[in-house]
Amino acid sequence: MKRAANRGVVIDKGAPDFDAALLGTSFNAQDPGRRPDRIVQANDVEEVIAAVKRARDQGHTIGICSGGHSWAQNHIRDGGILLDLSRLNSIVINEADGTAIIGPGCFAGELNTALSKRRLFFPVAHAYTVGMGGFLLQGGFGWNSRTSGLACQSVIGIDVVLADGTLVHSSEQENPELLWAARGAGPGFFGVVVRFHLKLHRRPKFVGLKLQIFRMRHLEEVMAWADKAGPDVSPSVEFQMVFNRRATGIFAHGIELLAPVLADSWSEARDAIAFIDKSPLRKKASLTLPLLPMSLNMMMNTGEKTLFLPNTRWTADSMWMNDPIDPMLPALRKIADSQPAAPSHALWLNWNAPPSRPDMAFSLEARTYLALYGGLRGKAASPADEGWATDHMRAL
């Protein structure tokens, strides 16, 4: 979803610009076929309140969009109104007490940029243009979340418009049940959050990336090694594998080992990724780069420009896993062998969550995470390519 520069308006179904406005709320170029009766592009909190009250009086349901990065496009529904919050994108930082107040339409990259200038940090989303509203409500697997916690754990308050149109504040001390639900309820949350109050963190002094590339013939060895090594990897490292038809450096089908690291020093970061250089598979790698300093914004933008291309129709599915990976290796081989052309890709992520989290609506995580992203460009696609992500995940 691109940031709109114009002032928001109300657009009814049937208007000449209705479909363009509707599909413009999603970074997924797939047309889900669903159509609300009205789009309300809110410019401020008062317009949100007015829209909710009108929906209440007329018996309409409400779909909500902040940044449009929902794979399922669940904000686009049949009937009712679509409330577009992308223009509620303010950022107010209080350095003195280490807090911020942001609008739901604020981009992850915009918040990161504002905080980096003040040496402050928040576990924002991994892609620059993700709207923070949906990201925070669904839990928020952000940068350095293995150390800083899920992003929703650092939400200390919300200002929310309830279904009757009233605006209330929620914190641990005031309407705490709303805050409990906002931390992880996702698209099922029962209000319109117009402001998030965030607890900020000290910014890591070093941010960098370790990259290693393997050809796909080494899949079984690489995945078995990664699965075994994962539990011992420092929480400061986001250890992951990406199956890419145009892997970096070899421009052929391969496995990209990506290890972003956020630490207090370069030496600490080098120690954290030493397991990659000491791996028994290192000699089988087609490319190994040293640990390179790299800003979060550069990594966020690079990921969007290489993996999540615009004008792409996406299908996606994912799963959490606690069991060893060995029994899944034949299935992973089938996934790789049938992988559509780029930007389609598979992601294996080492997570290893802590033994407990604060009491909140968010509840589902495990040792490792596997996601399949089917990205199709152009009109022609085989049924196998169309169903690659969902069919293989259903088989798993």
Side-chain angles (χ1 to χ4, degrees):
M1 180 176 178
K2 292 183 179 180
R3 169 61 46 73
N6 58 310
R7 185 168 176 80
V9 296
V10 176
I11 310 173
D12 289 322
K13 185 167 65 174
D17 52 350
F18 180 85
D19 275 10
L22 177 69
L23 299 178
T25 65
S26 176
F27 94 113
N28 188 349
Q30 191 96 262
D31 184 346
R34 304 182 293 270
R35 293 294 185 271
D37 296 320
R38 168 173 289 184
I39 302 170
V40 176
Q41 299 170 338
N43 295 291
D44 51 42
V45 175
E46 287 70 29
E47 290 188 6
V48 172
I49 293 172
V52 172
K53 286 183 175 180
R54 182 169 182 172
R56 176 201 62 187
D57 294 343
Q58 298 180 353
H60 290 159
T61 56
I62 300 175
I64 305 168
C65 175
S66 58
H69 270 254
S70 164
W71 299 102
Q73 300 170 297
N74 50 42
H75 62 283
I76 301 178
R77 306 173 183 177
D78 278 326
I81 72 169
L82 170 59
L83 188 51
D84 179 352
L85 304 179
S86 60
R87 291 165 180 79
L88 276 65
N89 59 357
S90 60
I91 301 174
V92 178
I93 299 170
N94 187 329
E95 293 185 62
D97 65 2
T99 62
I101 302 174
I102 65 170
C106 162
F107 283 167
E110 293 171 336
L111 178 57
N112 179 67
T113 298
L115 293 177
S116 65
K117 296 175 182 177
R118 298 166 171 84
R119 301 307 301 165
L120 294 169
F121 178 80
F122 189 83
V124 298
H126 285 80
Y128 191 99
T129 59
V130 169
M132 289 297 291
F135 171 74
L136 291 170
L137 284 174
Q138 63 88 30
F141 294 85
W143 288 106
N144 212 31
S145 274
R146 294 187 66 213
T147 297
S148 302
L150 298 167
C152 68
Q153 292 176 232
S154 294
V155 175
I156 56 176
I158 56 171
D159 298 325
V160 55
V161 179
L162 301 179
D164 63 357
T166 57
L167 175 65
V168 301
H169 178 72
S170 171
S171 65
E172 294 284 3
Q173 295 76 36
E174 185 179 356
N175 300 308
E177 71 283 356
L178 293 175
L179 182 61
W180 180 93
R183 290 172 169 166
F189 186 65
F190 39 81
V192 185
V193 182
V194 292
R195 286 183 291 265
F196 290 88
H197 299 251
L198 309 179
K199 177 185 70 176
L200 304 177
H201 304 265
R202 180 177 59 83
R203 195 167 192 86
K205 295 179 181 178
F206 177 87
V207 179
L209 177 69
K210 177 72 174 180
L211 176 67
Q212 194 170 62
I213 308 297
F214 294 89
R215 293 191 179 274
M216 193 54 72
R217 64 175 178 268
H218 299 301
L219 181 149
E220 287 79 4
E221 293 176 279
V222 171
M223 297 309 299
W225 164 77
D227 187 67
K228 184 177 180 180
D232 297 322
V233 174
S234 167
S236 65
V237 178
E238 298 191 6
F239 178 35
Q240 55 199 283
M241 303 280 187
V242 175
F243 297 3
N244 192 340
R245 282 286 184 186
R246 290 181 55 82
T248 303
I250 63 173
F251 304 103
H253 202 192
I255 302 170
E256 298 174 333
L257 185 164
L258 300 162
V261 55
L262 288 79
D264 281 335
S265 67
W266 196 326
S267 61
E268 181 182 308
R270 282 199 304 267
D271 290 343
I273 55 88
F275 73 99
I276 298 173
D277 290 324
K278 296 176 181 177
S279 162
L281 299 180
R282 189 180 190 280
K283 292 183 179 180
K284 295 186 177 183
S286 297
L287 173 68
T288 299
L289 296 181
L291 177 64
L292 299 174
M294 187 177 297
S295 71
L296 283 189
N297 272 7
M298 180 176 288
M299 285 192 267
M300 296 164 83
N301 282 314
T302 300
E304 286 198 319
K305 291 177 181 177
T306 57
L307 292 178
F308 300 110
L309 303 180
N311 303 315
T312 302
R313 294 182 291 112
W314 292 99
T315 57
D317 208 344
S318 59
M319 66 184 286
W320 286 106
M321 304 172 289
N322 272 321
D323 294 332
I325 205 169
D326 291 358
M328 292 181 57
L329 291 177
L332 290 175
R333 171 56 67 181
K334 290 180 181 178
I335 287 170
D337 289 347
S338 60
Q339 182 177 347
S344 296
H345 60 282
L347 167 69
W348 173 92
L349 175 66
N350 178 62
W351 186 246
N352 289 288
S356 64
R357 296 281 190 197
D359 184 25
M360 55 185 177
F362 180 88
S363 61
L364 184 61
E365 57 186 336
R367 189 169 71 88
T368 54
Y369 176 75
L370 179 68
L372 305 182
Y373 302 101
L376 304 177
R377 297 169 66 80
K379 294 183 178 180
S382 69
D385 285 354
E386 292 277 3
W388 175 75
T390 52
D391 291 347
H392 280 287
M393 195 56 68
R394 188 177 298 115
L396 286 173

